Amino acid sequence: MGRTAQILYTGLGVMAFSRIFAIAVLVVLGGCGSNGQEAAPGPGDVVATVAGQEITAGEFARYEADLPEFLRSQKTGMAARREHLQSLVDKELMLLEVEQRGLDQLSGLQWKLGDLVTKRLVEEMSLELVDNRLRVTEEEMRKAYEEHELGWEVWPAHILSASEEDAREVIRLLGEGRSFSELARERSLADDADKGGNLGAFFDQGSAVPQLKKGTFHLAEGEVSEPIRTIDGYEIVKVLKKRRLTFEALRGKIAEGLLHKKWAQRRRTVVDSLKEKRDVRYHRHRIHAVLDGIHRRGIAAGAADEPLIEYTGGTLSVADAVREISGLKKGAMPPDSVKALLFVEMWILPDSLFILDARELGWDKRPTILDWREAKRRALAIAQLRLDEVGGKVEVSDEEVEAYYEKYYDTYKRLPGIIHMTELLVATRAEADRLLARARAGEQLEGLAARYSLRPDMEPVGGHAFADSGRVTIESLYQSPYRDVFGDSNVEDVGVLQGPLEVQDHYSVFRLDQPFEKAAVSFKQVRRPIRVDIRERKEGALFAAFLDSLRRARVDQVHIDEGVLARHAAAP
């Protein structure tokens, strides 16, 4: 058996894959079943060979099963199967060209591949030593529910005062029998004063700021709090309703919280044992050189290769720490030496220790890892071939951009309006599904976002403004995943809870808060995306022509078994 035909998605585009050059074929008649119909090919039957490398029917079937919709042929039957097979043949042709040019031996490609393998091994070690060792019992969940008094929710009304003296006056008037809602309408500085201060929904403890949580959740229905100082002033809160969600309703959430806590504890235990095993030694004074590096002031001469941390079997240098911290997507860069060292302790050193153990245990030689590595190697090699063929060879003039704008003026004359929405962003689809269910059951999305959203810890995104309450403002840009959902203008989705949507490798539950229409756009605003679009089209055409040349050059090395292909196309 020759080299396995892997599923590799490159930047070629659909057009390059769908164009078929006339190649020599070997017609082999397929066997027939007892009912006169051709039998489906076996998984080992060879459907095509490329320079002696075989593509089996089983590999082809797996390829088609996993093919994303945007890469599927628009044709049907045998014609579609031919186009899909051609894409596999093309990849084998490209890999032959890669090997002939020696592109797969380039140091940059090898470094990228090594980095990907390292990350995969760290993930495997973390799963084996941490994630797969975690268990939560029914007894533990019920104990947490009772001990931490979980599930309590209050429906509050409030009166916002400018000073503690004003708040005390409100309490005095309430003591004289004045109505809370009337006093809210008369004296509250909050936007909901006209509603009597009624906040209109139940809030759990995670949805309240610490001051309000401490000052209100111990109250019974009908009770009024003492003045509570907040960022806006002094709050008087009345509990209109109070309820407790059942253990059964909170089971999933409690299990998730306990698992997260156990994960942190287990990971800390594993990392501590590895640190002891490796005799980890710190050079803490060099963290200042790391700070200089991550804040782009530059590492002092001679400091880059100095060890920040040493351990048996390896060293983490100042330059290593700068590179790894800069590559982390864990929010803003650490502002001082304490937080910089914490970054290293939490995210960088553990990975270094994990990878040492993984390699010592021979995990990098496991068949699953080797197969995965080969798939990544092929993908990187083909991407390098494309870069080698089209990189720097396409120019786009200002005149072309202006002509394109004029030709498609109707497309660019209006820009999507500003989007106002609320977003809750979490790490997994399962968590997003659970929180979406809670929001649809009546919990405020803003409160859930304040408690659970990962957005505040992430890097800022151009054209997007985020608030801790989950509120998002998206400027008049095309480059936002929410544009694909809401379009260029939207009225009908206002107030509708949606999700989960994959956003920046996370999962979003979201709601459009205001309708928006298209806004006027100038040439200056779209000049850059037009230039990118033209360049990509030119590069696509250039690489498609190169791919045609590969097909012509190796036409005698490509053979397709029409009988196997026909039986594959006819199979249910």
Side-chain angles (χ1 to χ4, degrees):
M1 180 65 67
R3 181 174 54 221
T4 302
Q6 302 286 345
I7 302 169
L8 303 173
Y9 303 127
T10 70
L12 298 179
V14 179
M15 292 180 60
F17 281 137
S18 63
R19 298 177 58 197
I20 302 178
F21 180 76
I23 61 175
V25 296
L26 177 63
V27 179
V28 179
L29 295 177
C32 295
S34 59
N35 58 2
Q37 295 181 342
E38 291 184 322
D45 290 348
V46 177
V47 67
T49 58
V50 182
Q53 304 299 324
E54 298 174 341
I55 300 174
T56 67
E59 292 163 350
F60 185 32
R62 289 192 295 274
Y63 172 79
E64 286 197 304
D66 293 335
L67 198 61
E69 193 61 37
F70 75 94
L71 282 179
R72 289 187 177 276
S73 171
Q74 299 301 307
K75 300 175 183 178
T76 59
M78 190 70 166
R81 295 297 167 69
R82 285 187 185 281
E83 287 197 1
H84 294 163
L85 181 58
Q86 183 65 46
S87 68
L88 276 178
V89 169
D90 287 343
K91 287 167 186 173
E92 293 296 333
L93 292 174
M94 287 186 283
L95 286 167
L96 288 171
E97 185 68 15
V98 163
E99 293 173 2
Q100 183 172 314
R101 298 187 188 188
L103 298 179
D104 54 340
Q105 302 303 315
L106 293 177
S107 59
L109 186 146
Q110 293 296 323
W111 185 89
K112 288 180 183 177
L113 181 60
D115 188 54
L116 289 172
V117 172
T118 294
K119 290 177 179 177
R120 174 64 186 269
L121 288 174
V122 168
E123 291 173 1
E124 293 289 320
M125 284 292 290
S126 183
L127 281 172
E128 176 69 21
L129 299 180
V130 181
D131 299 60
N132 293 342
R133 308 290 180 92
L134 303 179
R135 298 290 185 273
V136 174
T137 67
E138 181 81 3
E139 182 182 359
E140 288 175 315
M141 290 190 287
R142 290 189 178 277
K143 182 179 179 181
Y145 177 75
E146 295 299 339
E147 286 189 353
H148 299 288
E149 296 190 339
L150 302 178
W152 283 109
E153 297 181 332
V154 297
W155 185 313
H158 72 135
I159 298 173
L160 176 62
S161 301
S163 66
E164 185 176 5
E165 182 180 1
D166 292 341
R168 293 289 178 190
E169 178 63 13
V170 169
I171 290 178
R172 187 186 69 78
L173 293 172
L174 288 170
E176 292 179 354
R178 293 289 303 278
S179 164
F180 191 95
S181 59
E182 288 179 3
L183 284 173
R185 291 186 179 92
E186 292 174 9
R187 304 179 68 98
S188 180
L189 303 177
D191 293 338
D192 51 24
D194 61 336
K195 300 177 182 178
N198 190 330
L199 291 176
F202 279 103
F203 291 81
D204 62 19
Q205 296 185 53
S207 304
V209 296
Q211 302 96 312
L212 291 175
K213 173 182 174 181
K214 183 178 179 181
T216 60
F217 273 82
H218 66 283
L219 300 175
E221 284 189 6
E223 288 188 335
V224 176
S225 73
E226 289 293 307
I228 303 170
R229 186 174 183 176
T230 68
I231 191 173
D232 297 316
Y234 286 82
E235 299 271 9
I236 303 296
V237 179
K238 181 178 182 179
V239 176
L240 302 179
K241 299 177 185 178
K242 189 172 185 178
R243 69 184 183 187
R244 191 180 190 188
L245 300 180
T246 65
F247 168 76
E248 285 71 22
L250 293 174
R251 180 192 297 272
K253 180 181 173 183
I254 295 171
E256 183 179 332
L258 289 174
L259 280 172
H260 180 75
K261 183 178 179 179
K262 285 190 171 189
W263 181 89
Q265 293 171 341
R266 173 67 185 172
R267 187 174 188 271
R268 186 161 50 248
T269 299
V270 170
V271 171
D272 285 346
S273 68
L274 291 176
K275 287 164 67 175
E276 183 177 358
K277 172 184 175 182
R278 298 285 176 182
D279 187 25
V280 173
R281 303 175 299 283
Y282 295 84
H283 301 277
R284 298 179 186 274
H285 63 284
R286 291 179 181 142
I287 197 67
H288 298 290
V290 174
L291 278 174
D292 288 339
I294 63 177
H295 291 294
R296 304 189 187 282
R297 293 188 289 268
I299 305 174
D305 294 329
E306 291 183 335
L308 176 66
I309 302 176
E310 292 182 280
Y311 43 85
T312 304
T315 299
L316 182 69
S317 70
V318 168
D320 292 334
V322 170
R323 183 182 65 252
E324 295 296 332
I325 291 177
S326 299
L328 284 173
K329 297 180 180 179
K330 302 291 181 183
M333 291 294 99
D336 53 46
S337 59
V338 174
K339 291 189 176 179
L341 197 58
L342 182 63
F343 262 54
V344 173
E345 279 280 305
M346 289 181 62
W347 306 111
I348 300 172
L349 178 59
D351 287 359
S352 301
L353 300 178
F354 278 146
I355 194 64
L356 272 177
D357 261 34
R359 294 191 186 282
E360 284 188 1
L361 293 169
W363 285 21
D364 55 330
K365 301 298 191 296
R366 287 180 169 182
T368 54
I369 296 296
L370 292 175
D371 289 346
W372 180 87
R373 183 187 186 280
E374 176 61 11
K376 290 296 180 184
R377 184 194 70 81
R378 290 159 63 97
L380 288 173
I382 289 176
Q384 183 62 48
L385 176 64
R386 190 178 196 280
L387 181 62
D388 200 51
E389 271 302 309
V390 305
K393 297 181 181 179
V394 169
E395 294 184 359
V396 180
S397 67
D398 292 340
E399 291 75 18
E400 285 180 281
V401 176
E402 291 182 20
Y404 191 95
Y405 176 75
E406 294 296 333
K407 182 176 181 179
Y408 298 102
Y409 179 73
D410 287 342
T411 302
Y412 290 102
K413 69 180 180 180
R414 304 286 288 177
L415 192 70
I418 296 175
I419 292 176
H420 296 278
M421 58 174 285
T422 300
E423 173 204 63
L424 190 166
L425 196 68
V426 293
T428 66
R429 179 178 292 275
E431 185 179 6
D433 283 329
R434 288 194 295 271
L435 292 171
L436 176 60
R438 289 175 60 179
R440 286 175 172 166
E443 293 190 54
Q444 288 195 333
L445 189 58
E446 293 84 350
L448 292 172
R451 182 174 184 182
Y452 296 107
S453 184
L454 301 176
R455 180 63 73 183
D457 295 327
M458 295 177 64
E459 290 282 354
V461 180
H464 295 62
F466 300 98
D468 289 348
S469 63
R471 295 297 173 84
V472 183
T473 301
I474 304 175
E475 297 294 337
S476 299
L477 301 170
Y478 292 104
Q479 295 86 358
S480 174
Y482 294 107
R483 290 288 178 202
D484 295 334
V485 177
F486 294 137
D488 294 344
S489 61
N490 198 302
V491 174
E492 64 273 13
D493 286 327
V494 174
V496 178
L497 288 166
Q498 300 192 57
L501 174 70
E502 188 168 355
V503 176
Q504 294 175 270
D505 299 322
H506 295 76
Y507 293 89
S508 168
V509 173
F510 57 96
R511 180 192 67 220
L512 181 64
D513 293 328
Q514 297 179 24
F516 64 95
E517 302 294 340
K518 288 185 178 181
V521 60
S522 67
F523 171 66
K524 181 179 179 181
Q525 289 175 286
V526 295
R527 179 168 50 197
R528 183 174 179 181
I530 289 175
R531 188 181 299 276
V532 170
D533 186 47
I534 294 174
R535 178 178 289 108
E536 288 179 348
R537 289 170 185 267
K538 283 187 171 184
E539 288 178 346
L542 188 62
F543 196 75
F546 164 71
L547 188 55
D548 275 344
S549 71
L550 283 186
R551 294 167 182 165
R552 289 192 297 270
R554 296 184 180 271
V555 63
D556 294 332
Q557 295 178 283
V558 177
H559 303 277
I560 292 179
D561 189 319
E562 290 288 337
V564 174
L565 180 60
R567 285 185 283 133
H568 175 80

